[in-house]
Amino acid sequence: MKTVWCLLFCDDDDDKPREECGVVGIFGDPEASRLCYLALHALQHRGQEGAGIVAVNNNVLQSVTGVGLVSEVFNESKLDQLPGEMAIGHVRYSTAGSSMLKNVQPFVAGYRFGSIGVAHNGNLVNYRALRAMLEDNGSIFNTSSDTEVVLHLIAISKARPFFLRIVEACEKLEGAYSMVFVTEDKLVAVRDPHGFRPLVMGRRSNGAVVFASETCALDLIEATYEREVYPGEVLVVDKKDGVQSVCLMPHPEPKQCIFEHIYFALPNSVVFGRSVYESRHAFGEILATEAPVDCDVVIAVPDSGVVAALGYAGKAGVPFQQGLIRSHYVGRTFIEPSQKIRDFGVKLKLSPVRGVLEGKRIVVVDDSIVRGTTSSKIVRLIKEAGAKEVHMRIASPPIIGSCYYGVDTPSSEELISNRMSVEEIREFIGCDSLAFLPFESLKKMLGSESPNFCYACFSGKYPVMPREVKVKRVGDFLDDGLNGPMDSIDGGWIQGPRDLNIEKEIDPLYQKSNI
């Protein structure tokens, strides 16, 4: 069974970390669900496995969710089922919870004080402990997602008014969460005290309030960016009081995910108060300065390497050209279990331009290397197109640790930089030279904001202790229903490993926060 899993489900042609999801919330617009739909299109890059919208009409929460892309889940008739001036939406890529319909958010639940819907971006590192506690007290779970825990914690809270129940629930959570909630009359936005995942607020010209994971969603629906939701902040929106910042939970130094700027966010977004485009351009300039090489052409691995490649080319004074053309119409390539056939996966997605590459010394800029399998195929593709030399430049430091805060990364054992030196990786990939963005140079570029970012994937130092380690298992890819042992339907969570010596490497921030 293990061999079949590798052949069928390890999509090494998509050898990138994956963002877990994106969220959006809209209050005060008669077209709330349709605007939500458009905003989710802008956030589609953050999750392609499922999508959903919950709208409120006459104090009733109505939901439409489905597996697939936003355009596959929704159509005109589905959106007609979601009238009202308030809505929340979600696009999903699963890390916690299997890839099945019942785990697609937003979740809606009824409890003694009414109905509530929630959409969550992030990952709770104490999910199993919370779920066990709730089940011991009689809670019944319908999904295998960590987000459902939040609804149960709100339901058992006796705090009044409503927003204090959310605060009380969040005080029990550890890890990453940017969430939007909806009730019969309120929209609530919450961000975890470390601010791992982004969440921004904007406003449309008619006064409608919008929350979203990225500013690109605000731009699409013509909402003006106002500010971030602060780490630890709870914002409540209703007709009576408008937007209220009702709580700022005790929060240590922010630990914002650096990978939002390296890979996840779109270049036209402003994330954590910084332009993603400008960050990536600067990464390329640093590589050109600190790892120069004689070359004729600079190319990018599209699409996420393009801006860094432009920065490299501009600084090096070398032409940037499109040496690889990306097809946007190819899905994941695990249908055919023959490895010989699967090797065509990269060729389906990336086509070399021989006229740009033949006889040239090429610098190839990519955003990251995870397992190294895709990079080796790209180098081979470029050399087969006649390139004289191929030099890889990576616009991030080497990834040596898994993420536990809402990003789907392989186990540490699978991360090539965790088990090989740069020279060994270069030999494995087959390029003529290889250089990563120096970690210290990255922090220097961020300047005074450097301490506000999480670098756990580069350093192995975790701001919040990853007590439970998430891994994908075969059961995660099966259809709805019980397949195999019970733990295969709760995301395949296991106890955190002791051999990583994580306790010894915990960031002093964690020790200060007493979480």
Side-chain angles (χ1 to χ4, degrees):
M1 190 65 178
K2 186 175 181 182
T3 304
V4 174
W5 182 88
C6 287
L7 288 174
L8 287 174
F9 302 114
C10 286
D11 186 15
D12 59 11
D13 297 329
D14 253 345
D15 187 18
K16 293 290 180 188
R18 291 174 177 270
E19 172 59 64
E20 189 173 350
C21 47
V23 300
V24 61
I26 298 172
F27 182 96
D29 197 294
E31 297 290 320
S33 64
R34 279 173 163 74
L35 292 171
C36 222
Y37 167 77
L38 292 170
L40 291 179
H41 264 293
L43 299 174
Q44 186 76 84
H45 58 287
R46 300 182 75 90
Q48 297 90 45
E49 290 194 357
I53 294 174
V54 172
V56 183
N57 187 43
N58 295 325
N59 295 328
V60 176
L61 275 63
Q62 297 164 300
S63 173
V64 173
T65 61
V67 174
L69 301 175
V70 175
S71 59
E72 296 168 337
V73 173
F74 294 98
N75 53 35
E76 194 67 33
S77 63
K78 291 278 181 67
L79 292 172
D80 285 340
Q81 298 170 28
L82 298 169
E85 295 189 353
M86 183 166 45
I88 59 173
H90 190 268
V91 286
R92 177 176 194 269
Y93 175 77
S94 66
T95 56
S98 310
S99 305
M100 51 181 73
L101 179 57
K102 68 183 180 183
N103 283 316
V104 176
Q105 298 181 34
F107 292 153
V108 179
Y111 71 123
R112 56 185 170 152
F113 295 112
S115 298
I116 184 170
V118 60
H120 171 209
N121 173 208
N123 205 69
L124 306 180
V125 301
N126 63 336
Y127 157 67
R128 282 296 289 269
L130 288 172
R131 177 164 173 159
M133 178 271 290
L134 289 162
E135 288 176 331
D136 286 345
N137 290 323
S139 291
I140 297 171
F141 283 79
N142 185 53
T143 75
S144 57
S145 169
D146 58 348
T147 309
E148 192 178 2
V149 162
V150 182
L151 290 175
H152 283 276
L153 291 173
I154 291 169
I156 65 173
S157 172
K158 293 180 173 59
R160 302 291 291 268
F162 165 73
F163 76 85
L164 288 178
R165 290 193 282 275
I166 291 180
V167 173
E168 191 172 87
C170 289
E171 286 173 344
K172 296 180 173 69
L173 306 179
E174 296 176 17
Y177 54 89
S178 287
M179 297 185 285
V180 286
F181 297 86
V182 71
T183 67
E184 289 95 335
D185 63 345
K186 289 179 174 60
L187 179 67
V188 181
V190 186
R191 196 162 166 222
D192 70 79
H194 287 84
F196 285 110
R197 309 252 65 85
L199 190 62
V200 296
M201 181 177 75
R203 205 178 296 259
R204 282 173 48 81
S205 58
N206 63 358
V209 178
V210 182
F211 297 100
S213 292
E214 288 183 41
T215 58
C216 62
L218 304 183
D219 296 338
L220 182 63
I221 62 172
E222 298 179 334
T224 303
Y225 169 73
E226 289 193 354
R227 68 174 178 89
E228 289 187 283
V229 176
Y230 302 129
E233 187 176 26
V234 180
L235 281 164
V236 178
V237 191
D238 61 22
K239 285 186 177 178
K240 179 184 175 185
D241 299 308
V243 181
Q244 286 186 297
S245 179
V246 296
C247 179
L248 199 63
M249 291 178 279
H251 54 288
E253 197 171 52
K255 289 294 170 184
Q256 304 159 153
C257 175
I258 189 60
F259 244 88
E260 292 286 349
H261 278 267
I262 289 169
Y263 176 67
F264 295 129
L266 288 184
N268 57 317
S269 284
V270 174
V271 175
F272 309 135
R274 299 180 67 95
S275 162
V276 175
Y277 187 99
E278 290 176 9
S279 292
R280 291 181 188 168
H281 199 271
F283 298 158
E285 290 180 332
I286 293 169
L287 283 169
T289 302
E290 302 202 18
V293 65
D294 290 336
C295 63
D296 303 307
V297 174
V298 176
I299 70 169
V301 177
D303 294 314
S304 53
V306 169
V307 180
L310 287 167
Y312 187 104
K315 193 72 172 179
V318 176
F320 169 82
Q321 295 198 39
Q322 250 187 308
L324 293 170
I325 307 299
R326 178 182 173 87
S327 170
H328 294 271
Y329 309 103
V330 179
R332 298 183 70 185
T333 55
F334 55 67
I335 295 172
E336 172 56 61
S338 161
Q339 190 64 42
K340 187 176 180 181
I341 296 295
R342 277 174 47 80
D343 282 342
F344 284 97
V346 166
K347 290 186 178 181
L348 285 171
K349 295 173 184 176
L350 296 173
S351 303
V353 181
R354 185 173 287 272
V356 171
L357 305 173
E358 194 167 23
K360 305 282 180 56
R361 298 168 298 173
I362 308 294
V363 164
V364 187
V365 181
D366 202 358
D367 59 90
S368 60
I369 294 181
V370 182
R371 294 185 182 93
T373 48
T374 298
S375 298
S376 64
K377 293 175 183 178
I378 289 171
V379 170
R380 189 164 68 243
L381 200 67
I382 293 169
K383 288 195 170 183
E384 287 173 355
K388 185 178 177 183
E389 297 173 9
V390 179
H391 303 275
M392 289 286 288
R393 294 295 179 267
I394 308 302
S396 71
I399 302 171
I400 63 167
S402 293
C403 178
Y404 304 96
Y405 310 130
V407 178
D408 190 17
T409 48
S411 64
S412 296
E413 293 75 19
E414 294 177 85
L415 296 169
I416 193 168
S417 292
N418 191 48
R419 53 189 174 84
M420 290 187 188
S421 67
V422 174
E423 176 58 23
E424 287 171 333
I425 298 171
R426 185 200 66 76
E427 289 181 10
F428 176 83
I429 291 173
C431 55
D432 294 280
S433 74
L434 170 66
F436 290 87
L437 182 70
F439 188 20
E440 292 304 317
S441 299
L442 167 63
K443 292 196 286 186
K444 184 178 178 182
M445 187 275 285
L446 294 169
S448 61
E449 295 177 32
S450 175
N452 296 338
F453 284 88
C454 175
Y455 308 106
C457 53
F458 306 139
S459 67
K461 295 181 180 179
Y462 293 92
V464 179
M465 183 66 162
R467 301 177 191 177
E468 300 159 350
V469 179
K470 60 189 186 312
V471 293
K472 287 262 186 177
R473 292 180 179 166
V474 176
D476 288 355
F477 298 91
L478 299 177
D479 204 351
D480 243 328
L482 301 182
N483 296 278
M486 283 295 289
D487 64 356
S488 71
I489 65 161
D490 66 11
W493 288 67
I494 60 174
Q495 191 63 34
R498 288 286 170 260
D499 57 341
L500 293 179
N501 291 319
I502 291 172
E503 293 92 337
K504 296 177 184 176
E505 296 185 314
I506 290 298
D507 194 321
L509 169 63
Y510 168 73
Q511 296 165 358
K512 284 186 218 168
S513 62
N514 294 317
I515 292 177

